[in-house]
Amino acid sequence: MNRQIIIIILLLFPFFLSAQEEEKNSGQLHGNFETIVQTYRVDTIIGIDSADVPREKALSNSYMNLTYTKGKFSAGIRYEVYMNTLEGFDKRYDGHGIANRYASYTSDELEITAGNFYEQFGNGLILRTYEEKTLGIDNSLDGIKLKYKPVKGIKLTGIIGKQRLYWTLGPGIVRGLDGEISFNETFKKLAKSKTHFLLGGSFVSKYQKNLNPKYNYPENVGAFAGRINLSRGGFIISSEYAYKINDPSADNSIIYGYPIFKDGNALFVNASWSKKGIGFLFTALRLDNMSFRSDRSASVNDLSINYLPAITKTHTYAFPAMYPFATQTNGQVGFNADFFYTFKRKTLLGGKYGTNININFSQVNSIKTEKITINPDAEIKNLDGYTSDFFAVGDELYFRDINIELHKKINKKFKISLIYMYQDYNKLIMQGKDSILHADIGVFDLTYKISSKQSIRFATQALLTDKTQSGEKNDFGDWYTGMVEYTYSPHWFVAISDQYNTGGHTNPVSAHYYNFAAGFVKGANRIQIGYGRQREGIVCAGGVCRFVPAASGFNFTLTGSF
């Protein structure tokens, strides 16, 4: 690592020096940073005893990005500090150093990047490398990326590298090619057409040496995908199909207790239509055995090559987001439908300022499978594991969410939001414990504008769970919360909230999860300090999740950019 630091400093030093000495031709230096600090204390009411409190008492995650650009050249580094890693994040992050460095040259036709880079082919079904700080994910590739535009409307991309695994690299090599053509840009006759047509295709393979004496794992595993995008006016439809050669892994080993050598596939469809005041969105995803990692023994969020998009709605309020859906890479079939409508101003339902309504329905089930019978007295001969009818839906419900939202401005001072949500959640599939639970959730949010600079917001939520067969409230039981937030624009805000849990099957003890937060915002910089309790649960982004343990103490966040 020290050698890398020296190399980066030597590469960037001439440009930093140039930036100081030459005002007109010095290029530009940009950056951003974030520091999060959390203290921990014993709080037996929410299940935190002395064994759960880290010995450091206070933990911190921090990073800083620096990007230098001059003409067609750019270079950057990211320095990360985990001293030590916050609870709920992987402890393999402990430490500090340069986690990301790259240099890139970009012209009208050619782009070449050496070092760490992120890339996505199509919807990401066979390749997406990205960074998501809230989940502790950084699966960047360390290698070479080339992008080339031979003619207008045609894009070619090639990549090769190894993926980041905390402070080291995964064992597998990832190679990929992607091509895309926009017919309206390439062919002059279609330039003025109202119908836009785009076609793309990708191929990605990974190489990992087989060291297992029992199974003949394939050392090279390939995956390919084709996609299409068609739009006209307010109507858009896009679809992508992906196919992956047999890829036995730790992920599909959990199905029957042995690695499955079955090929995988995925179909993603997205369609939308909208015009002023009304819109409709439909998304569907069917996937079978589509975990794709550069290390076949990796698990959780490590070394994923592809990204299988979440199709359920992402909720922002605390209780609607308490039981989020996590994409099931071994198999799922589901859809999401969204309807938006705005009642016009000066109508019965629209009132003076109009009324927005959103109705959403999503459901995800298992895929229908039939296990292949094997001779229990012999060595395993057929490792396909199961067969699956592509168009059949499995009987097991994973997730169902029906919700309706209403947003309305009453007058110049008041605006409100109302939400009702009906949810079924298979906790055994999502979190590996308990069973299906049902929840009814309500949200009421009111904002009152005191003056041009001051406003106060009040929000209350309730989450009511069903009962288990023994008569107890499911999981943690019912939840109620109230929150008051005062804002003095443009710099100050303060908020106080309390989530009350009645207790249930998982934890019969009732508890208050109180929180206090205050912050200051100026330009691109934001500082916030808080104190309170954090409930146990999972946090998800785009169908990818991580576990969050209960915590109690102070927290501090500083973010900014320059």
Side-chain angles (χ1 to χ4, degrees):
M1 184 59 70
N2 290 334
R3 183 181 177 185
Q4 290 183 352
I5 295 174
I6 294 172
I7 293 173
I8 293 298
I9 291 174
L10 290 175
L11 283 172
L12 295 180
F13 182 75
F15 300 101
F16 295 151
L17 187 62
S18 175
Q20 294 175 348
E21 295 180 348
E22 302 175 25
E23 293 185 358
K24 293 184 179 180
N25 192 29
S26 59
Q28 293 183 321
L29 181 65
H30 299 282
N32 59 75
F33 57 89
E34 180 182 70
T35 293
I36 302 174
V37 180
Q38 170 77 50
T39 68
Y40 299 88
R41 69 181 182 91
V42 174
D43 194 338
T44 55
I45 293 178
I46 60 172
I48 304 173
D49 56 31
S50 57
D52 300 317
V53 176
R55 298 178 66 179
E56 301 93 328
K57 304 296 184 184
L59 302 174
S60 174
N61 291 1
S62 305
Y63 73 87
M64 181 176 187
N65 284 306
L66 284 175
T67 302
Y68 177 80
T69 59
K70 182 178 181 181
K72 297 177 180 179
F73 175 80
S74 64
I77 60 172
R78 181 171 64 246
Y79 196 83
E80 297 181 0
V81 180
Y82 301 90
M83 291 189 173
N84 280 329
T85 311
L86 292 171
E87 293 290 290
F89 291 87
D90 200 299
K91 293 300 180 182
R92 285 175 287 181
Y93 275 120
D94 283 356
H96 62 99
I98 295 177
N100 185 297
R101 73 284 184 269
Y102 74 94
S104 181
Y105 171 84
T106 304
S107 67
D108 293 338
E109 296 180 351
L110 179 67
E111 175 185 335
I112 179 169
T113 302
N116 298 100
F117 61 86
Y118 302 97
E119 183 57 52
Q120 176 172 330
F121 292 169
N123 295 290
L125 297 182
I126 63 171
L127 178 77
R128 185 194 181 198
T129 57
Y130 66 107
E131 181 199 19
E132 178 54 63
K133 287 291 184 187
T134 59
L135 300 178
I137 291 178
D138 184 354
N139 63 349
S140 65
L141 282 162
D142 189 1
I144 293 287
K145 177 173 69 174
L146 293 171
K147 286 178 175 286
Y148 183 55
K149 300 176 184 177
V151 297
K152 189 176 181 180
I154 295 180
K155 301 176 184 176
L156 303 173
T157 303
I159 59 102
I160 185 168
K162 287 190 172 185
Q163 288 185 286
R164 179 186 179 188
L165 181 64
Y166 306 99
W167 292 107
T168 183
L169 298 175
I173 299 174
V174 180
R175 297 80 49 106
L177 292 170
D178 182 77
E180 184 176 280
I181 177 171
S182 170
F183 287 81
N184 299 78
E185 293 183 46
T186 303
F187 301 103
K188 292 183 179 179
K189 291 183 179 179
L190 299 176
K192 295 183 179 180
S193 173
K194 294 182 179 179
T195 302
H196 295 264
F197 184 56
L198 185 146
L199 200 64
S202 312
F203 176 77
V204 176
S205 77
K206 66 170 182 177
Y207 168 78
Q208 182 183 8
K209 191 174 182 179
N210 178 30
L211 301 174
N212 191 296
K214 182 177 180 181
Y215 295 108
N216 184 26
Y217 288 126
E219 294 188 332
N220 289 283
V221 175
F224 60 85
R227 61 184 183 273
I228 185 172
N229 188 309
L230 183 66
S231 64
R232 183 180 177 89
F235 176 75
I236 301 173
I237 184 168
S238 63
S239 181
E240 183 168 11
Y241 176 77
Y243 193 89
K244 180 177 64 98
I245 308 302
N246 77 87
D247 182 24
S249 65
D251 290 313
N252 63 30
S253 294
I254 66 173
I255 300 176
Y256 299 128
Y258 56 85
I260 295 173
F261 284 60
K262 185 178 182 296
D263 293 353
N265 59 72
L267 176 64
F268 178 73
V269 178
N270 186 65
S272 65
W273 172 83
S274 65
K275 68 176 186 179
K276 187 177 181 181
I278 187 171
F280 181 78
L281 171 67
F282 178 82
T283 305
L285 174 65
R286 195 266 186 195
L287 60 90
D288 177 9
N289 193 28
M290 276 302 289
S291 169
F292 193 27
R293 302 177 191 261
S294 58
D295 181 357
R296 63 178 73 89
S297 65
S299 60
V300 194
N301 292 329
D302 293 346
L303 298 172
S304 291
I305 299 174
N306 64 341
Y307 170 74
L308 303 167
I311 57 171
T312 58
K313 184 173 182 177
T314 299
H315 295 282
T316 55
Y317 287 96
F319 288 175
M322 184 175 287
Y323 296 111
F325 178 72
T327 302
Q328 300 303 301
T329 59
N330 282 333
Q332 68 169 60
V333 55
F335 72 93
N336 176 75
D338 254 319
F339 174 73
F340 308 87
Y341 187 76
T342 300
F343 293 99
K344 295 181 180 178
R345 296 181 178 186
K346 299 181 181 179
T347 61
L348 178 62
L349 297 177
K352 187 176 180 180
Y353 297 95
T355 303
N356 299 316
I357 188 170
N358 170 211
I359 301 173
N360 171 259
F361 177 38
S362 60
Q363 180 168 325
V364 183
N365 280 56
S366 62
I367 57 173
K368 196 172 185 62
T369 62
E370 185 172 344
K371 186 176 181 180
I372 297 174
T373 303
I374 60 174
N375 183 354
D377 298 325
E379 290 290 329
I380 297 174
K381 294 180 179 179
N382 191 335
L383 292 174
D384 276 3
Y386 62 90
T387 59
S388 177
D389 184 343
F390 190 89
F391 296 101
V393 178
D395 297 329
E396 187 172 13
L397 177 68
Y398 287 169
F399 185 84
R400 180 188 291 126
D401 177 2
I402 304 171
N403 60 83
I404 180 168
E405 295 185 18
L406 186 146
H407 306 279
K408 182 168 182 58
K409 184 177 180 180
I410 305 298
N411 54 40
K412 292 182 179 180
K413 296 285 188 181
F414 285 97
K415 63 179 181 180
I416 62 170
S417 296
L418 295 169
I419 299 175
Y420 168 72
M421 179 176 173
Y422 172 102
Q423 186 181 55
D424 291 313
Y425 183 82
N426 193 327
K427 195 170 182 180
L428 181 63
I429 293 297
M430 305 296 168
Q431 301 182 27
K433 50 187 177 182
D434 297 334
S435 58
I436 288 183
L437 68 84
H438 169 75
D440 292 283
I441 303 165
V443 177
F444 174 71
D445 190 322
L446 169 69
T447 300
Y448 175 68
K449 190 174 182 180
I450 302 170
S451 66
S452 60
K453 286 191 172 183
Q454 299 180 74
S455 66
I456 188 166
R457 176 172 165 247
F458 171 76
T460 183
Q461 305 173 49
L463 183 152
L464 308 177
T465 62
D466 60 347
K467 292 183 178 179
T468 64
Q469 291 183 347
S470 60
E472 299 170 299
K473 277 286 186 177
N474 218 328
D475 201 26
F476 284 86
D478 297 339
W479 291 82
Y480 303 91
T481 186
M483 186 276 293
V484 179
E485 181 182 73
Y486 170 76
T487 302
Y488 190 89
S489 299
H491 300 306
W492 296 97
F493 68 90
V494 59
I496 185 170
S497 66
D498 183 25
Q499 294 183 3
Y500 174 67
N501 176 222
T502 61
H505 173 69
T506 301
N507 182 7
V509 180
S510 61
H512 285 273
Y513 289 77
Y514 50 81
N515 273 283
F516 169 81
F520 177 78
V521 180
K522 186 175 183 181
N525 301 318
R526 184 178 192 271
I527 185 170
Q528 177 177 322
I529 187 168
Y531 178 78
R533 289 170 170 167
Q534 172 185 278
R535 59 178 167 80
E536 175 186 313
I538 62 172
V539 59
C540 298
V544 183
C545 306
R546 73 172 174 89
F547 174 73
V548 178
S552 182
F554 285 95
N555 57 79
F556 170 82
T557 304
L558 174 65
T559 60
S561 61
F562 53 89

